[in-house]
Amino acid sequence: MSEAVGIKRTVCMWCHNHCKVELHIEGDRLIEMQENRQHRAAALYARTVRACPRARAAAEWFHHPDRLNYPLKRAGQRGEGQWETISWEQALDEIAQRLDGVRKQYGPEAIATTSGTYRSHDEYRTRFFNLLGSPNHMGQGHICWGISNMVAAAVLGWPGNAPGLRPGTTKCILIMGANPPEAHQFLWQRMLECLNAGAKLIVIDPRRITAAQRADIWLQPRPGTDCSVLMSMIQVIIEEGLYDREFVARWCHGFEELSRCARGYSPEEVARTSWVPADKIREAARLYATSRPAATFHHMGLEHLTNHVEALHARFILPAITGNVDVKGGDLIRPTYPHIIPEYEIELNEMLPEEQKKKALGGERFPFISWPGYELVRENLNRVWGHGFARSHHCYAHAPTVFRAMITGQPYPVRALITAASNPLVTMPNAKLVYQALQTLDLYVVSDFWLTPSADLADYALPAASWLERPTIFDGQDTISSIEVGETAFPPFREGRYDRRTDFELWRGLGIRLGQKEHWTWETLEEAYNYRLAPMGYTLKEFLDKKGGLDSLPSEYAKYQKIGFATPTGKVELYSTILEKLGRDPLPRYEEPAESHVSTPSLAGDYPLVLTTGGRFLPMYHSEHRQVASLRRQHPDPIAQINPVTASELGIKDGDWMWLETPRGRMKQKCQYYAGIDPRVVHAEHGWWFPEMPAGGPGLHGVWVSNVNVLTDDAPEHCNKSSGGWPLRALLCKVYKC
């Protein structure tokens, strides 16, 4: 290697593997990205990073000519694609002045924000909005990691979904609604080590995904019925006495109530609902319950269900009644890394007045993942652990309710929106309604790497610094037992070429202009991170030099024997007293999707197929990377998977473009014959827009062409009754050739 090539070590934030990487740099050019060979898990990261198409395209992404480089101000009508380049100072001055006008006329709650999938530093967004006085933060936590953590905290007293995989020790792995080979490659490598050492694998998924092909048992449910399948497994385990009697008697609350509830979920009954044969349900339940220790893992396949609180509740009950909680080789409880200032403290949640918390739109109707539920959960975490977890992806306003308030002014007006690290026109449900809502705003600001369809509608489009242009502290929003620190690889400013800024600088700049100066004493993100690391006696640079950018707590099992569980009863709450206190069902009962052959048979006549969406696919990640040529060549078109028998009956050939239509609209994707899907089901990819299409006019970079959220449902009456999560995995559709 040439001496002119330097190496920077950081944490990749292009997905949730958070790989520890080395960036090889020559002058001002990124040459390549490799695994961090000094990391203690370098061998696993090598397999993940070297196989990652995004890692191979890192230089192409970073040096892409279409990156946003300077702040843009809308020059024509909204969405026309006419822009004026301005300075950051002008942009922040004007945005702050207009925000202040909205605040004075309508109140701070009239200003909202949308966030993405926690790959930035949202503790500072939350700080800004708490000091501003607005509770209206919308994001993906309703149907993502946030709701999973909240349910686990209510049931187990801490966020779950942490499989403690140990080759030779872990005897069984249960995967629910996740495809690690596509979405969690680092974890999949560890799973393969366990399988090669003799562990069994059970997969629950409507598609015969890569993990299902490797499974000993594959359960293929009708989309939307996962809760019924999990409850049926619980029924078998209880009925056949396969549960851990000692653990249940000592550490579980509500076993009798759960037992009575589970009686309604016999495999024969559930087979009629879910399409999963009764004998397969029994086989899976027996294998999981008798192969201890067993580890479990789920992902968006559960979070995207309308019935997701209930499905997640059942999912966390399974390891509890089988004695697989916080045991070696089973499911871990990972307390917060305690040696730094937590994100929660940075957020200044105590600065948001109680009367403003009550104004969080949708919080009263959907209390669990808004302030009422979050404060109940946090109260118990504080009592047992002495700390909780950050608010920013666990406590929200309800996005469909906020967008309706923009349109109707009810229950009060929402007139300004700041979008950072998200693309709501592509990633929020019911895209036509989102478009209508964005058009009504007095002020819309977008901070992003690119001009996305959402940015096309903005009054100001601001160039964001990427993870390559900022330092990183990753601590899982106070939910994991380690921290990973990364250094800045490239400066976000180069004279005459670009001037990008971190989210921290955006929120600090606006905050100072809106009267928050005393709360923004750090001038840079690195200074703010130095403050967080100060209890350890390190600066960020010193932590990198002396700790190699990594520190973690030693493994400890069965922690509950010393401190109990951080729930109101001090036990695993099979019967959730937190949900009960919120006026919701304390037990996980299955409910039929709002749109199905069962609940809406008349609609099914016109829309005979079940539509599911949201499955991960490489090399894309959600709505990202469509403009990167090498990645686009690998996956040039949006793909809808359909069983060959169904497609042939409809006169659709493999590779044909086909329309997918629901009561909310239609869009087109390319047909892929896929035998691993039920003939009654179609899977459509999400996140699609076309950077190569014109930005101006109604097209907005092709946002209406193949965007599955043209089809999805966000009606509040169809959302989860506890959380407000919207249905993405169980809708009715029809398909026909273009």
Side-chain angles (χ1 to χ4, degrees):
M1 183 182 297
S2 168
E3 291 184 2
V5 176
I7 294 177
K8 298 286 186 176
R9 293 181 174 88
T10 189
V11 183
C12 176
M13 300 300 283
W14 274 332
C15 76
H16 283 298
N17 281 291
H18 301 297
C19 291
K20 315 315 178 269
V21 297
E22 295 178 353
L23 300 170
H24 294 200
I25 300 167
E26 185 171 6
D28 62 356
R29 302 293 297 180
L30 175 60
I31 305 303
E32 65 176 338
M33 177 169 138
Q34 295 184 1
E35 74 280 1
N36 182 348
R37 288 168 290 182
Q38 296 183 1
H39 196 279
R40 65 190 184 196
L44 277 176
Y45 282 119
R47 279 177 264 166
T48 304
V49 174
R50 293 178 190 181
C52 177
R54 293 188 286 264
R56 293 194 295 271
E60 184 183 1
W61 187 99
F62 181 71
H63 297 294
H64 199 289
D66 292 343
R67 282 281 304 274
L68 274 174
N69 293 324
Y70 295 98
L72 301 177
K73 179 181 179 180
R74 177 167 59 85
Q77 295 298 310
R78 179 168 283 159
E80 279 188 346
Q82 302 299 314
W83 300 97
E84 172 192 358
T85 300
I86 61 175
S87 69
W88 268 100
E89 292 306 304
Q90 180 183 342
L92 292 173
D93 286 345
E94 292 181 5
I95 293 167
Q97 183 178 23
R98 294 175 68 173
L99 289 173
D100 193 42
V102 171
R103 177 172 61 175
K104 289 175 178 175
Q105 184 172 357
Y106 300 103
E109 63 273 13
I111 304 169
T113 185
T114 65
S115 63
T117 58
Y118 178 50
R119 289 175 291 135
S120 182
H121 35 284
D122 270 353
E123 61 269 32
Y124 301 103
R125 180 205 308 261
T126 307
R127 185 184 187 92
F128 170 79
F129 273 87
N130 283 333
L131 293 167
L132 182 70
S134 174
N136 286 322
H137 175 191
M138 302 178 281
Q140 299 298 328
H142 272 96
I143 48 92
C144 189
W145 185 62
I147 187 60
S148 172
N149 284 347
M150 285 291 289
V151 174
V155 175
L156 299 172
W158 195 253
N161 206 29
L165 300 167
R166 284 185 171 268
T169 300
T170 301
K171 297 297 189 295
C172 182
I173 303 170
L174 170 61
I175 299 176
M176 298 154 281
N179 190 14
E182 294 283 336
H184 293 87
Q185 296 89 343
F186 181 81
L187 183 67
W188 180 242
Q189 295 296 330
R190 192 67 168 168
M191 288 181 175
L192 288 175
E193 291 180 354
C194 292
L195 299 181
N196 291 336
K200 301 297 184 182
L201 177 62
I202 304 167
V203 173
I204 304 176
D205 200 286
R207 298 183 298 152
R208 194 169 183 265
I209 54 175
T210 305
Q213 295 171 29
R214 182 66 189 263
D216 296 278
I217 301 173
W218 170 41
L219 305 185
Q220 186 182 23
R222 171 168 65 97
T225 64
D226 303 60
C227 180
S228 69
V229 175
L230 296 173
M231 284 299 293
S232 190
M233 290 179 66
I234 290 168
Q235 190 271 342
V236 171
I237 291 168
I238 294 174
E239 181 184 69
E240 298 187 4
L242 303 177
Y243 59 94
D244 186 323
R245 296 177 184 273
E246 182 179 352
F247 184 85
V248 166
R250 177 66 182 88
W251 292 109
C252 291
H253 170 76
F255 183 71
E256 291 304 318
E257 293 89 340
L258 173 68
S259 297
R260 289 194 294 271
C261 179
R263 289 171 194 155
Y265 295 89
S266 70
E268 287 71 24
E269 183 65 31
V270 168
R272 289 189 286 272
T273 301
S274 68
W275 304 345
V276 179
D279 60 338
K280 297 286 285 186
I281 295 174
R282 284 197 172 86
E283 184 184 4
R286 290 165 180 161
L287 178 61
Y288 172 73
T290 59
S291 304
R292 302 179 194 174
T296 60
F297 181 71
H298 77 276
H299 224 247
M300 301 300 97
L302 297 187
E303 282 89 334
H304 288 176
L305 308 174
T306 310
N307 205 205
H308 67 180
V309 169
E310 296 75 15
L312 289 163
H313 191 171
R315 170 260 184 279
F316 290 119
I317 284 173
L318 275 169
I321 64 173
T322 54
N324 282 304
V325 172
D326 213 22
V327 299
K328 187 175 182 179
D331 291 346
L332 303 183
I333 292 178
R334 306 177 299 178
T336 295
Y337 181 82
H339 303 311
I340 65 171
I341 302 294
E343 290 188 29
Y344 179 87
E345 187 173 318
I346 298 297
E347 291 175 331
L348 296 183
N349 294 298
E350 69 277 6
M351 299 298 289
L352 185 65
E354 289 298 321
E355 62 270 19
Q356 292 303 107
K357 293 178 183 177
K358 294 175 183 177
K359 293 180 182 178
L361 287 167
E364 182 176 352
R365 182 173 184 177
F366 307 112
F368 183 58
I369 196 168
S370 193
W371 279 103
Y374 178 71
E375 291 188 323
L376 285 175
V377 164
R378 184 168 177 82
E379 173 186 325
N380 290 285
L381 301 182
N382 283 339
R383 174 177 51 81
V384 174
W385 296 103
H387 53 77
F389 47 67
R391 171 197 155 206
S392 58
H393 285 260
H394 302 104
C395 178
Y396 285 102
H398 184 240
T401 302
V402 177
F403 288 128
R404 283 164 173 77
M406 292 176 185
I407 296 168
T408 67
Q410 299 298 322
Y412 58 76
V414 175
R415 305 307 311 149
L417 178 66
I418 305 175
T419 285
S422 68
N423 187 4
L425 196 54
V426 177
T427 59
M428 284 291 184
N430 196 352
K432 291 180 180 179
L433 184 135
V434 175
Y435 174 80
Q436 184 183 356
L438 297 180
Q439 290 282 26
T440 70
L441 293 169
D442 297 333
L443 175 65
Y444 185 36
V445 179
V446 172
S447 173
D448 209 308
F449 311 129
W450 321 90
L451 274 176
T452 65
S454 300
D456 289 340
L457 295 176
D459 298 294
Y460 296 87
L462 306 177
S466 70
W467 61 270
L468 299 110
E469 300 159 302
R470 64 175 188 251
T472 295
I473 291 181
F474 179 74
D475 62 355
Q477 287 214 306
D478 308 330
T479 67
I480 59 177
S481 300
S482 63
I483 60 166
E484 298 274 2
V485 173
E487 60 188 322
T488 302
F490 291 92
F493 170 78
R494 288 193 185 274
E495 183 72 39
R497 293 172 58 182
Y498 52 78
D499 187 3
R500 303 162 185 153
R501 296 200 180 177
T502 64
D503 291 2
F504 169 85
E505 292 170 291
L506 168 64
W507 304 121
R508 180 181 185 271
L510 292 176
I512 288 173
R513 288 165 173 80
L514 289 166
Q516 303 175 10
K517 185 174 182 179
E518 65 179 296
H519 299 289
W520 295 96
T521 56
W522 321 289
E523 293 190 3
T524 66
L525 181 57
E526 183 165 341
E527 286 184 19
Y529 282 168
N530 288 342
Y531 169 77
R532 292 193 63 198
L533 291 167
M536 299 183 71
Y538 294 124
T539 64
L540 186 133
K541 185 178 186 305
E542 289 167 344
F543 187 89
L544 285 163
D545 291 341
K546 297 178 181 179
K547 304 285 283 186
L550 167 69
D551 198 30
S552 59
L553 299 180
S555 297
E556 181 183 0
Y557 303 106
K559 294 178 284 294
Y560 55 84
Q561 293 182 354
K562 297 178 182 178
I563 60 175
F565 290 92
T567 63
T569 60
K571 299 180 178 183
V572 176
E573 294 210 347
L574 314 176
Y575 179 103
S576 172
T577 61
I578 286 179
L579 287 171
E580 183 178 45
K581 193 168 185 177
L582 293 171
R584 301 303 187 267
D585 196 331
L587 290 165
R589 302 180 204 275
Y590 168 71
E591 289 189 15
E592 185 68 23
E595 213 174 84
S596 78
H597 298 77
V598 177
S599 55
T600 54
S602 59
L603 190 64
D606 294 325
Y607 301 94
L609 299 175
V610 179
L611 172 65
T612 186
T613 183
R616 300 294 182 262
F617 58 98
L618 289 171
M620 308 305 176
Y621 193 76
H622 298 304
S623 67
E624 297 176 63
H625 306 304
R626 269 69 177 180
Q627 58 279 100
V628 180
S630 66
L631 300 182
R632 192 66 180 279
R633 285 194 294 270
Q634 296 174 48
H635 199 104
D637 301 309
I639 297 297
Q641 294 175 327
I642 187 170
N643 190 283
V645 173
T646 306
S648 296
E649 291 173 352
L650 296 171
I652 300 171
K653 297 178 181 178
D654 190 30
D656 283 349
W657 285 90
M658 62 184 187
W659 292 108
L660 292 89
E661 183 176 335
T662 72
R664 288 151 297 277
R666 73 173 189 172
M667 62 90 194
K668 63 180 180 179
Q669 296 193 358
K670 187 172 277 190
C671 170
Q672 181 186 75
Y673 279 10
Y674 186 61
I677 198 167
D678 189 282
R680 295 162 286 186
V681 178
V682 180
H683 176 271
E685 290 179 350
H686 73 295
W688 274 96
W689 58 288
F690 297 90
E692 66 272 21
M693 290 186 177
L700 301 175
H701 283 117
V703 74
W704 310 115
V705 176
S706 300
N707 177 7
V708 78
N709 276 321
V710 171
L711 311 183
T712 53
D713 183 12
D714 76 333
E717 61 270 22
H718 295 165
C719 293
N720 186 271
K721 294 180 178 63
S722 298
S723 70
W726 41 89
L728 297 175
R729 300 276 178 159
L731 303 164
L732 291 178
C733 76
K734 60 182 174 182
V735 172
Y736 47 99
K737 187 175 180 178
C738 291

